[in-house]
Amino acid sequence: MKTRDQEYRELFMAEALEYYDSMSRHLSELERNPDAGPALNELFRLMHNLKANARAMGFNDLGEVAHHLETLFGLIRDQERTFSGSLIKVVFSGVDALGNMIRAVGAGQPLPDATALLDNLDRLVRGEEPILEAEDAGESEEESSKKMELSDLVYIQVKKLDNLLNLVGELVIDRDRIMTLAQELDNPALLATAQHLFRISDDLQYSVMDARLVGVGVLLNKFPRVVRDVAAAEHKEVELTMSGQDVQIDRNILQIITDALLHLVRNAVSHGLETTEQRLKAGKAAVGQLTLSALTERDDVLIQVRDDGRGIDTEAVRRKAVDRGLVSANTAATLNEQAVWAYLFEPGFSMAQQVTDISGRGVGLDVVKLALDSLGGQLRVESELGVGTTFTLVLPTSIAVKGALLVEVEERPYAVPLLHTDTVLSLHPGQISVVGGVFITYFQEQSVPLVPLRQLLYDEGDGPLPLATRDDITGPQQVLVVNYNNRRLGLVVDRFIRQQNIVIKPLSKPLDTIDLFGGVTLLGSGQVCLVLDVPALTRLFLNKRP
């Protein structure tokens, strides 16, 4: 994996070589027409950008040459110097020197000495004649070839990568089908070819996925300014600490969670952190601490937003949820804090006492949940009153391929993304209770409601689910425990098939309106397999719970 320095150096090289080519082109145009204003302005802009980029990367000698040339072009633009005579030769030499320096950076070599060039540029700025060396016999073939170098990097539109990934997905589906056919036919030659195809397509798939990966820092590095602006608007003092910018993730995932992360950060500053007076009164340091970090956990990427603010007032959220009619007072009293916090993600739910430009409009945390649901991600919340809050976004590394558990109901296969699965259980009837018409089991000291998956998928109408009775339990029950929004739900299935990576294709109209399904995939057997949307299944169960 590339380090952040390597990645930045490559980006610098790609831009610098592009600037160098543009400088050479505009200089030639300016030599033909010294009054070419657009070319002069462009040269000034290119020198300015190259200077800034070089200094940011620590290539100060390169930045110094660009700075001197920028100054000279500024004088030409202001008509204090003319692009003529010995100035032309020095400027061309200066651009050539920039090219040599850029190539030296790319090769990891020391930058060539530019003392004489800088001295001549200073002379020209002062209006003096430069000291020119004797004419060279001619430019060597090697020098000419250096000017024709191409960057090792290419720019590519994201939609082209999306299309490539889609085609690879189609290939992987066909590959699995061919592998299954080869095994069924038991033809050695066909089997060997299918296995070779498997290896090649596997490498191709991961190469394409790798090309889409970017460092999380691409997004995180935008937040210092956001935090600064929100803190200023809220009259708070906030110190932002970031880590894990090198963690790699699919570029599209980063794009999708941009708004979600923005809401969490703004929320942390606006709601989470106290004012300086409140912090001092609470015995805390005057400056609030906000941490943005990224890390990997198995195949997932975790992005955390942590503050040392006031924490979530669980009882206040409980009262607000009752006041808004989201839950009855009796039921609310039985909910644990995680279940209460889940109401913070209901649309329009806000704990702000007053509406400001930053908060209080009830828009925010529901956006976070919607973004995560669309990715098949999860949100974890940890909070302690008076100590602080941590929101953790659990994201897949890639949206192209997902690990899934295949289950069977009514002789039909269904895929459940692993990101939402907690465990599988085989329960004897004695391990299942009936409480309020709902099957309940206890797992890891927590009660988990159970529901036959066939009831959620096949029972029509908006009415409540039928009351469960012990007569409905016959023999061992195969249960898949899923997790969404800190709520566990046990789905009773007929049998577990296997675990495998799947390529999810979106459903086409009119099936795309059924929110219980997140897409469709094709198994190696040729069977079409619907991918279950765990958030939608959980919401359906809560709405139809008797």
Side-chain angles (χ1 to χ4, degrees):
M1 186 179 291
K2 292 176 184 175
T3 64
R4 188 170 41 169
D5 284 346
Q6 286 174 316
E7 191 176 332
Y8 286 169
R9 180 183 285 251
E10 289 182 358
L11 288 173
F12 169 78
M13 282 298 300
E15 281 191 347
L17 285 172
E18 191 175 307
Y19 288 168
Y20 171 68
D21 290 340
S22 295
M23 288 173 196
S24 300
R25 186 174 75 252
H26 290 304
L27 267 186
S28 299
E29 182 181 348
L30 200 60
E31 187 178 27
R32 289 195 305 274
N33 178 15
D35 297 325
L40 188 57
N41 289 334
E42 188 63 10
L43 278 164
F44 186 82
R45 185 187 70 82
L46 291 169
M47 293 298 174
H48 181 78
N49 289 349
L50 182 60
K51 175 188 71 175
N53 292 351
R55 286 178 172 174
M57 291 292 296
F59 307 128
N60 294 326
D61 290 349
L62 201 162
E64 198 61 20
V65 173
H67 172 64
H68 277 67
L69 284 165
E70 178 193 9
T71 303
L72 189 57
F73 281 120
L75 294 174
I76 298 170
R77 190 178 57 179
D78 296 339
Q79 298 183 340
E80 295 181 32
R81 299 285 181 276
T82 57
F83 194 73
S84 60
S86 57
L87 185 146
I88 295 177
K89 182 176 177 58
V90 175
V91 168
F92 269 96
S93 299
V95 172
D96 285 345
L98 286 177
N100 291 333
M101 289 177 153
I102 293 168
R103 283 187 285 272
V105 169
Q109 298 171 347
L111 301 189
D113 180 57
T115 306
L117 172 64
L118 292 175
D119 183 57
N120 273 338
L121 289 171
D122 282 337
R123 287 173 180 275
L124 287 169
V125 169
R126 294 195 298 266
E128 302 170 3
E129 274 299 304
I131 301 174
L132 300 177
E133 296 179 358
E135 290 285 335
D136 293 335
E139 198 173 57
S140 68
E141 187 176 338
E142 183 182 0
E143 288 295 318
S144 297
S145 67
K146 285 181 179 176
K147 294 178 181 176
M148 302 299 289
E149 282 180 326
L150 297 177
S151 168
D152 290 335
L153 294 180
V154 294
Y155 294 106
I156 185 166
Q157 291 178 317
V158 173
K159 66 179 182 183
K160 290 184 177 179
L161 279 177
D162 288 343
N163 186 45
L164 186 58
L165 189 66
N166 184 49
L167 292 174
V168 170
E170 300 282 350
L171 177 65
V172 169
I173 290 174
D174 287 343
R175 174 201 69 186
D176 291 344
R177 179 70 179 135
I178 290 172
M179 274 296 292
T180 304
L181 286 173
Q183 288 166 349
E184 289 175 356
L185 295 173
D186 197 24
N187 182 304
L190 179 58
L191 198 56
T193 305
Q195 288 170 342
H196 182 68
L197 174 64
F198 189 94
R199 288 194 297 274
I200 296 294
S201 57
D202 209 41
D203 288 347
L204 177 61
Q205 179 184 339
Y206 281 98
S207 295
V208 174
M209 287 165 58
D210 186 59
R212 297 166 57 88
L213 296 181
V214 297
V216 175
V218 172
L219 177 58
L220 297 192
N221 292 337
K222 298 181 184 299
F223 279 96
R225 177 62 191 273
V226 173
V227 171
R228 179 256 170 212
D229 289 350
V230 178
E234 296 278 323
H235 307 293
K236 294 179 179 176
E237 291 184 72
V238 182
E239 181 178 343
L240 174 66
T241 304
M242 298 193 297
S243 64
Q245 290 99 321
D246 295 336
V247 172
Q248 302 275 298
I249 193 170
D250 189 291
R251 187 260 181 203
N252 279 12
I253 292 178
L254 217 51
Q255 177 72 46
I256 291 170
I257 66 158
T258 297
D259 285 347
L261 202 56
L262 181 63
H263 281 296
L264 284 179
V265 170
R266 290 161 64 105
N267 226 53
V269 178
S270 179
H271 291 304
L273 293 170
E274 311 94 332
T275 62
T276 302
E277 293 76 18
Q278 291 168 335
R279 291 182 65 85
L280 292 174
K281 191 176 179 181
K284 294 182 173 181
V287 180
Q289 298 295 317
L290 181 64
T291 305
L292 262 175
S293 59
L295 61 155
T296 56
E297 183 182 86
R298 292 184 294 180
D299 292 334
D300 302 327
V301 172
L302 274 55
I303 298 181
Q304 290 184 326
V305 180
R306 176 184 295 120
D307 68 69
D308 70 342
R310 53 174 65 94
I312 298 174
D313 186 341
T314 306
E315 296 311 312
V317 178
R318 198 189 307 269
R319 288 194 298 273
K320 188 86 173 184
V322 174
D323 291 344
R324 287 201 54 198
L326 297 175
V327 62
S328 69
N330 290 336
T331 304
T334 66
L335 298 178
N336 62 29
E337 61 182 14
Q338 289 283 347
V340 172
W341 296 344
Y343 288 107
L344 291 170
F345 301 93
E346 294 292 334
F349 197 97
S350 175
M351 296 299 294
Q353 299 298 318
Q354 58 184 3
V355 176
T356 69
D357 289 342
I358 305 296
S359 62
R361 300 176 190 280
V363 178
L365 292 181
D366 60 314
V367 173
V368 178
K369 282 306 298 175
L370 286 173
L372 287 172
D373 290 350
S374 70
L375 292 169
Q378 289 200 45
L379 181 67
R380 300 174 188 163
V381 185
E382 299 168 64
S383 185
E384 187 174 345
L385 195 60
V387 177
T389 305
T390 301
F391 290 97
T392 303
L393 309 182
V394 185
L395 304 164
T397 307
S398 168
I399 53 177
V401 178
K402 287 182 178 175
L405 183 66
L406 303 183
V407 300
E408 187 177 86
V409 175
E410 302 283 351
E411 299 183 349
R412 291 179 185 169
Y414 295 94
V416 184
L418 288 180
L419 204 61
H420 285 297
T421 61
D422 264 11
T423 188
V424 295
L425 302 171
S426 181
L427 300 176
H428 295 289
Q431 296 173 284
I432 300 174
S433 308
V434 179
V435 179
V438 177
F439 291 127
I440 298 287
T441 191
Y442 288 89
F443 174 65
Q444 293 178 339
E445 300 180 352
Q446 182 183 0
S447 64
V448 178
L450 308 179
V451 60
L453 182 55
R454 68 169 62 81
Q455 283 188 352
L456 294 179
L457 295 179
Y458 302 144
D459 282 4
E460 297 182 353
D462 297 328
L465 295 168
L467 292 172
T469 66
R470 294 205 64 83
D471 295 338
D472 298 331
I473 307 173
T474 54
Q477 302 292 308
Q478 307 304 315
V479 177
L480 169 61
V481 179
V482 295
N483 193 328
Y484 167 67
N485 205 7
N486 298 312
R487 290 189 178 100
R488 278 175 165 167
L489 175 64
L491 301 173
V492 181
V493 302
D494 293 346
R495 74 181 181 99
F496 300 113
I497 302 176
R498 63 180 175 278
Q499 178 182 322
Q500 74 172 60
N501 289 334
I502 58 171
V503 178
I504 301 176
K505 294 292 179 184
L507 289 166
S508 54
K509 291 182 178 178
L511 297 178
D512 60 343
T513 58
I514 306 174
D515 59 1
L516 291 182
F517 304 119
V520 65
T521 189
L522 198 63
L523 303 181
S525 60
Q527 274 183 296
V528 173
C529 176
L530 289 165
V531 181
L532 298 182
D533 187 316
V534 172
L537 280 173
T538 306
R539 286 193 294 267
L540 180 64
F541 171 73
L542 294 174
N543 291 335
K544 299 184 73 172
R545 181 174 179 158

